[in-house]
Amino acid sequence: MTSQPYALLEAVSLEVHYGGIAAVKGISFAVEEGELVCLIGANGAGKTSTLKALARMIDASGEIHYRQERLDQLPSHALIGRGLALVPEGRGVFARLTVAENLAMGAYHRNDRAEIKHDLDRIYAMLPRLKERAEQVAGTLSGGEQQMLAIGRALMGRPKLLLLDEPSMGLAPLMVEKVFEVIRTVATQGVTILLVEQNARLALHTCTRGYVMESGKITLADTAANLLADPRVRAAYLGE
Amino acid sequence: MDIFLQQIINGLTTGSVYAIVALGYTMVYGVIQLINFAHGEVVMIGAMTAFTVIMAVVGLGLPLPPALIVLLGVLAAVPVCMAIGYTLERVAYRPLRHAPRLAPLITAIGMSIILQHLALLIWGRDPRAFPQIMENASFAIGGAAISTVQIAIILMSVVLMAGLTWFVYRTRFGIAIRATAEDVRVAALMGVDANRVIAATFVIGAGLGAIAGVMVGTYYGIAHYTMGFTLGLKAFSAAVLGGIGNLAGAMLGGIVLGLVEALGTGYIGDLTDLCRWPLVGGMLAERCEADGHAILFGSNYQDVFAFLVLILVLVFRPSGLLGERVSERA
Ligand SMILES: Nc1ncnc2c1ncn2[C@@H]1O[C@H](COP(=O)(O)OP(=O)(O)OP(=O)(O)O)[C@@H](O)[C@H]1O
Ligand SMILES: [Mg+2]
């Protein structure tokens, strides 16, 4: 191959249907290497469906290009080995596994023991609360701690592209700030991020670029600064 | 003879076997919420296979130690049963993974019938006497006796249970099995291939079942193509008693069921001896004087206890001894 026609991640005419109902109606978007891109939209806009389609958790039509490879033919469990991780909506920690076991699951596909240990130390240093609770069952963690665990677990897989689905959901403002601090740190470490958020203000202040989704379609795509200034965004998502 | 202590020893022995078989039900259920009703037949085929190999080796007339001969039987039965477990999952259950729950359940019953008739074709309808090659010495403890076979069964079960616990809690694949049991789709995001995990639970359960089959065969000295049915139902009851889907529950449920059954069988005759009941005894005075007893339910009611336990658990505590309350399951 001489040219690289696609971005790191590129969705073309992505469609998701539940029974007869279309939740995602043929959207196209791209995320370049090193970017922190956000996808905002109201409840039911189709954000989660989009991420699930990218992670192959649900069937979708259209094309998903990732590092010059078609993802849309691969099973979900083949993705992390290619560097794609998803922190699902509602966190999805394994409640009956300990914190340490959850983190170990994040590195399940890896075989480099020494490096895994190194990454674990790094994550414990970044999220000390997890270290204190390493042997505790994850179901007993607070919501914020579970979100930290879900992100830490995804990082244990050494993703190149991290998909985050509403990491601020259900968290107190202080905890939200902490979570976003972690997200920014991860981004500066070279991980490309696609962030889905309802908290549009926070998301747009964190990202470089953004997409706005409305009932299954992308209605706006621009830099974060332009979206923050856009009167339509201000009216619909920033409460101004 | 101390009946109580003796029945405790007998109950621990059969309970150990129930526990090992129950693990097969519970592991599969824990991951895919399927009751693999064919599991009892897998245990039966384990016993039959071991029987065939043991007979063949004995037939050679080599001066081998008996324990080694039984071990050869186990070594043959385990891979055979594992292959059957794998095939069941692959051929019968996997295509129905997303079908309504009734479909795999009926398939499981169908598989059970198929395996039973396969065994009938191979081994015939007569009970096969397990050659009693193990020197079955007994040791007296406090007014009761424990045989070498009983000691071997109990020890072997402890080793198997400890080994499985270690595997499931300490190894990477074991943790992946537990993660998959909790959430298949999130486990897949970690790179876990659900098909491999599911197949593994069938194969491990079948391997354990094979060993349990050899244990029962050696203990009762007999193997028969229908033996898997009752044994399977009892072990299933044990799994439900402990809390289906819960490994420690299956172990506990097996032991408790074995004890209940042994003690129940040991005492049911005395307890239902009408001559000992003041009111009724008077009415039966003649017969009581002639026979000395008028037993309503004898020890041939042995098999009733497991099902009594099953019904009581389902009515009063469906989540079992160690299971979470059903409402807590997300
Ligand atoms: N499993 C499902 N079955 C049927 N319909 C579904 C399913 N999941 C989502 N939907 C529908 O698809 C649409 C998009 O849902 P989705 O979860 O993608 O929205 P979202 O943008 O993530 O919303 P939120 O911000 O509330 O999380 C909604 O109308 C929803 O009701
Ligand atoms: Mg959502």
Side-chain angles (χ1 to χ4, degrees):
Chain A
M1 216 183 290
T2 49
S3 66
Q4 298 208 335
Y6 294 107
L8 176 73
L9 174 76
E10 201 157 331
V12 182
S13 311
L14 198 65
E15 272 182 52
V16 175
H17 294 266
Y18 295 107
I21 303 159
V24 178
K25 302 169 183 166
I27 62 173
S28 300
F29 60 91
V31 179
E32 299 285 351
E33 182 133 29
E35 274 194 309
L36 204 173
V37 175
C38 58
L39 180 61
I40 59 175
N43 288 118
K47 308 180 296 293
T48 297
S49 303
T50 302
L51 289 195
K52 281 185 171 172
L54 294 177
R56 301 286 300 128
M57 294 172 87
I58 51 175
D59 279 325
S61 53
E63 297 168 17
I64 304 166
H65 300 270
Y66 170 73
R67 298 171 80 195
Q68 316 310 321
E69 192 181 6
R70 283 286 288 269
L71 283 196
D72 38 290
Q73 309 302 332
L74 294 173
S76 190
H77 65 81
L79 301 183
I80 186 65
R82 289 168 165 79
L84 190 149
L86 165 67
V87 176
E89 187 175 51
R91 303 162 196 126
V93 299
F94 300 113
R96 277 173 283 188
L97 268 53
T98 65
V99 168
E101 286 172 337
N102 268 277
L103 292 171
M105 281 307 295
Y108 178 76
H109 71 286
R110 296 171 56 185
N111 284 310
D112 45 346
R113 264 171 184 254
E115 289 291 298
I116 291 173
K117 177 79 183 70
H118 173 261
D119 286 357
L120 186 64
D121 291 340
R122 204 169 52 95
I123 281 161
Y124 277 153
M126 186 164 71
L127 307 166
R129 197 65 85 79
L130 295 185
K131 186 171 188 178
E132 289 165 29
R133 310 209 181 298
E135 297 309 319
Q136 191 171 321
V137 170
T140 61
L141 296 180
S142 77
E145 289 163 353
Q146 289 191 15
Q147 190 63 61
M148 295 296 186
L149 176 57
I151 295 174
R153 184 180 63 182
L155 293 178
M156 285 300 290
R158 283 208 177 167
K160 295 200 159 43
L161 173 63
L162 183 59
L163 311 177
L164 292 161
D165 197 348
E166 297 211 34
S168 76
M169 190 167 72
L171 302 187
L174 215 72
M175 207 65 210
V176 172
E177 200 34 64
K178 256 190 185 162
V179 169
F180 270 75
E181 212 179 282
V182 170
I183 293 172
R184 286 188 207 102
T185 311
V186 171
T188 58
Q189 288 165 355
V191 178
T192 307
I193 295 176
L194 176 58
L195 170 68
V196 158
E197 259 299 333
Q198 276 211 49
N199 188 334
R201 183 184 307 276
L202 189 56
L204 291 173
H205 277 111
T206 308
C207 299
T208 46
R209 244 168 16 90
Y211 292 96
V212 178
M213 209 169 167
E214 257 170 61
S215 31
K217 290 190 183 132
I218 289 178
T219 50
L220 289 168
D222 212 331
T223 62
N226 285 347
L227 287 176
L228 275 169
D230 192 304
R232 288 166 294 180
V233 176
R234 294 172 76 108
Y237 302 105
L238 302 177
E240 288 172 10
Chain B
M1 192 173 82
D2 185 335
I3 292 188
F4 182 76
L5 186 59
Q6 188 59 55
Q7 293 304 68
I8 295 276
I9 292 170
N10 296 347
L12 282 177
T13 311
T14 47
S16 301
V17 176
Y18 296 156
I20 299 300
V21 181
L23 284 169
Y25 283 102
T26 230
M27 281 188 75
V28 167
Y29 186 90
V31 175
I32 51 172
Q33 285 76 52
L34 166 82
I35 294 162
N36 174 20
F37 271 117
H39 185 54
E41 312 309 332
V42 174
V43 175
M44 173 271 293
I45 289 180
M48 289 300 203
T49 307
F51 160 82
T52 303
V53 170
I54 291 172
M55 286 303 279
V57 175
V58 169
L60 293 177
L62 300 173
L64 296 173
L68 180 68
I69 300 180
V70 175
L71 185 68
L72 288 175
V74 171
L75 289 179
V78 168
V80 166
C81 289
M82 283 180 159
I84 293 173
Y86 179 80
T87 310
L88 279 178
E89 195 277 320
R90 201 58 222 264
V91 175
Y93 302 132
R94 193 178 295 185
L96 298 174
R97 188 84 51 77
H98 303 287
R101 288 180 69 158
L102 196 56
L105 196 67
I106 291 171
T107 303
I109 294 168
M111 287 300 123
S112 175
I113 295 170
I114 290 176
L115 288 178
Q116 217 182 84
H117 284 80
L118 209 62
L120 173 64
L121 286 176
I122 298 173
W123 288 285
R125 64 173 63 248
D126 297 326
R128 298 307 186 103
F130 246 72
Q132 293 302 298
I133 46 173
M134 294 272 269
E135 189 188 337
N136 209 353
S138 279
F139 305 94
I141 41 170
I146 185 164
S147 69
T148 38
V149 169
Q150 287 181 312
I151 294 172
I153 288 176
I154 293 170
L155 284 184
M156 186 68 187
S157 302
V158 170
V159 168
L160 290 175
M161 289 191 257
L164 184 72
T165 306
W166 173 82
F167 173 72
V168 166
Y169 283 87
R170 288 283 171 267
T171 69
R172 190 160 76 149
F173 194 65
I175 296 171
I177 292 177
R178 284 159 55 222
T180 306
E182 234 181 273
D183 193 330
V184 190
R185 302 203 300 167
V186 175
L189 291 175
M190 319 280 115
V192 180
D193 181 351
N195 282 333
R196 274 189 62 202
V197 166
I198 293 166
T201 61
F202 274 88
V203 169
I204 295 167
L208 292 171
I211 301 175
V214 183
M215 288 174 177
V216 219
T218 316
Y219 187 47
Y220 293 120
I222 207 160
H224 189 232
Y225 80 99
T226 58
M227 67 189 274
F229 181 73
T230 318
L231 183 60
L233 267 181
K234 285 183 184 176
F236 169 68
S237 306
V240 172
L241 171 62
I244 188 127
N246 183 310
L247 288 185
M251 303 179 196
L252 180 68
I255 302 291
V256 170
L257 189 74
L259 289 173
V260 166
E261 191 179 75
L263 290 172
T265 311
Y267 288 104
I268 189 173
D270 280 356
L271 291 178
T272 61
D273 181 356
L274 297 180
C275 296
R276 297 187 170 201
W277 296 16
L279 276 177
V280 194
M283 285 157 30
L284 294 172
E286 241 174 65
R287 173 151 176 218
C288 289
E289 253 168 52
D291 298 349
H293 55 75
I295 291 170
L296 203 55
F297 301 112
S299 55
N300 52 339
Y301 276 79
Q302 174 180 2
D303 291 345
V304 161
F305 297 99
F307 308 120
L308 218 55
V309 167
L310 178 62
I311 292 166
L312 290 177
V313 171
L314 288 178
V315 170
F316 293 107
R317 200 180 155 84
S319 55
L321 296 173
L322 301 186
E324 294 146 61
R325 257 170 279 129
V326 178
S327 60
E328 281 174 9
R329 273 244 159 105

